[in-house]
Amino acid sequence: MSTTLSIENISTILVIGAGTMGRQIAMAAALAGYTSIIQDISEEGLAAARTELEGWAASRVAKGKLDQATATTALEALTYSTDLEAAAANADFIIEAATERLDIKTQIFERLGKLAPAHAILATNSSTLGSSKVAAATGRASQVCNMHFFNPALVMKCVEVVRHETTSDATVETAMELARALGKEPVLINREIPGFIANRLMGAIQREALFLADAGIASIEDIDTTARTALGHPMGPFALMDMVGLDVIDFIAQATHAETGDPADAPNPGIAALVAEGKLGRKTGAGFYNYN
Ligand code: 3HC
């Protein structure tokens, strides 16, 4: 039943998960002129997404970076739903950005295999689970891949398109084209590897930064300053971890370590301790830094 969906045939994009990533991916799709649906099981999650996106659009308009008509059109193109069956029925391209748990994702992809039109491509935004883990459950493995966006997704240009062994060339091509249509610069990863490209590079920098701080060589402030002023990074590794969320950083390390067994990938005890204290970074007002 494999079909070739080309970019011209995509009009409706469904994003599953109204969290930090899902909501901004859906807004990027709406801004690019697509009918965009955010589906989440939580009404509160959908309401929070709507509030953030409406606020974001209003502030872009106020700053003169987005004209009012474009903002209004995009917000009207964006709908919110708790009903997966109805949301998937007319979707041409689906990007799953739900909780990073294999059991949850497998269940979602199994349902999507039944609910979405036969031509629909099913992508996951997962950074830790290669799409091969959920592809079989869909009954259309050749139309499944990873499409990994970066936080904040409305700003960051990169999308990692990751193929698994049976992802078709047509699926890869359409995913790359869609990323371009959303104003992104996609990169192709030819086979699954934990962390893909970006999180492996980020992980290496974070490990070194944590080593320097833990050994008392320099303060986290000075390590962050050095990353910015010597290397031109937009933010230092500690500020970045706080922005991504220390729970997410810890989870990525756990998942990567479980897969590789490499001691270098083991979660950092200092980060695990902050997570246990509820200090998850910017979203809770404290992490490596205080944000109050
Ligand atoms: N949502 C939407 N837009 C945002 C935003 C957010 N959360 N935060 C900042 N922006 C926008 C601002 O509106 C502004 O837009 P404008 O220039 O058009 O007016 C622009 O980004 C720049 O923002 P600021 O001037 O406030 O601040 P900065 O110049 O410091 O930029 C930043 C903020 C874009 C976050 C920049 O610091 C940066 O690029 N940091 C690195 C981010 C990064 O590495 N992300 C990847 C994380 S890893 C990941 O996501 C993978 C996952 O698997 C963990």
Side-chain angles (χ1 to χ4, degrees):
M1 89 156 147
S2 175
T3 50
T4 306
L5 173 71
S6 62
I7 186 77
E8 298 79 26
N9 302 122
I10 298 177
S11 61
T12 300
I13 295 177
L14 166 62
V15 178
I16 296 173
T20 313
M21 298 303 292
R23 61 181 71 166
Q24 293 209 1
I25 297 168
M27 186 67 185
L31 283 167
Y34 293 99
T35 299
S36 179
I37 310 168
I38 309 182
Q39 189 276 341
D40 198 292
I41 50 171
S42 156
E43 292 277 8
E44 295 79 45
L46 290 170
R50 188 194 288 267
T51 303
E52 180 189 305
L53 295 176
E54 289 177 356
W56 177 85
S59 78
R60 302 288 295 166
V61 171
K63 274 195 207 167
K65 302 237 170 166
L66 186 66
D67 67 82
Q68 184 62 61
T70 309
T72 305
T73 305
L75 290 172
E76 281 172 5
L78 194 56
T79 54
Y80 301 80
S81 173
T82 51
D83 183 346
L84 185 63
E85 188 169 345
N90 296 312
D92 302 305
F93 201 107
I94 301 180
I95 302 169
E96 172 276 325
T99 308
E100 288 284 88
R101 268 182 43 192
L102 182 57
D103 55 343
I104 292 174
K105 287 187 193 288
T106 305
Q107 205 179 37
I108 291 171
F109 276 84
E110 195 174 355
R111 290 191 69 199
L112 291 177
K114 298 189 179 99
L115 298 174
H119 66 261
I121 289 176
L122 313 179
T124 173
N125 178 55
S126 180
S127 61
T128 56
L129 296 163
S131 67
S132 61
K133 296 215 162 58
V134 293
T138 65
R140 57 175 99 182
S142 68
Q143 291 163 242
V144 177
C145 65
N146 285 72
M147 234 179 136
H148 181 216
F149 291 75
F150 292 86
N151 183 359
L154 279 161
V155 178
M156 306 311 284
K157 289 280 178 209
C158 188
V159 174
E160 293 176 322
V161 174
V162 190
R163 67 188 309 162
H164 65 82
E165 274 187 5
T166 54
T167 306
S168 71
D169 290 344
T171 296
V172 168
E173 206 173 297
T174 303
M176 300 283 284
E177 280 297 310
L178 178 64
R180 288 188 194 102
L182 302 189
K184 305 300 182 193
E185 290 176 28
V187 294
L188 176 60
I189 297 170
N190 291 311
R191 85 186 154 81
E192 292 177 351
I193 180 167
F196 308 143
I197 299 174
N199 283 359
R200 292 181 79 86
L201 297 178
M202 184 173 75
I205 292 170
Q206 285 166 2
R207 267 196 300 280
E208 195 56 34
L210 287 159
F211 160 74
L212 292 169
D214 289 346
I217 309 287
S219 67
I220 62 169
E221 289 83 359
D222 280 350
I223 295 167
D224 275 358
T225 298
T226 307
R228 286 188 285 102
T229 56
L231 305 175
H233 292 188
M235 63 208 304
F238 293 99
L240 179 58
M241 286 189 272
D242 272 356
M243 189 191 81
V244 169
L246 299 185
D247 51 339
V248 176
I249 297 291
D250 188 50
F251 180 81
I252 290 173
Q254 285 178 37
T256 306
H257 186 239
E259 201 145 329
T260 65
D262 183 345
D265 294 327
N268 178 274
I271 293 180
L274 287 169
V275 172
E277 282 178 60
K279 293 183 175 169
L280 309 183
R282 270 197 213 175
K283 62 188 167 190
T284 57
F288 286 110
Y289 293 98
N290 279 313
Y291 297 89
N292 293 319

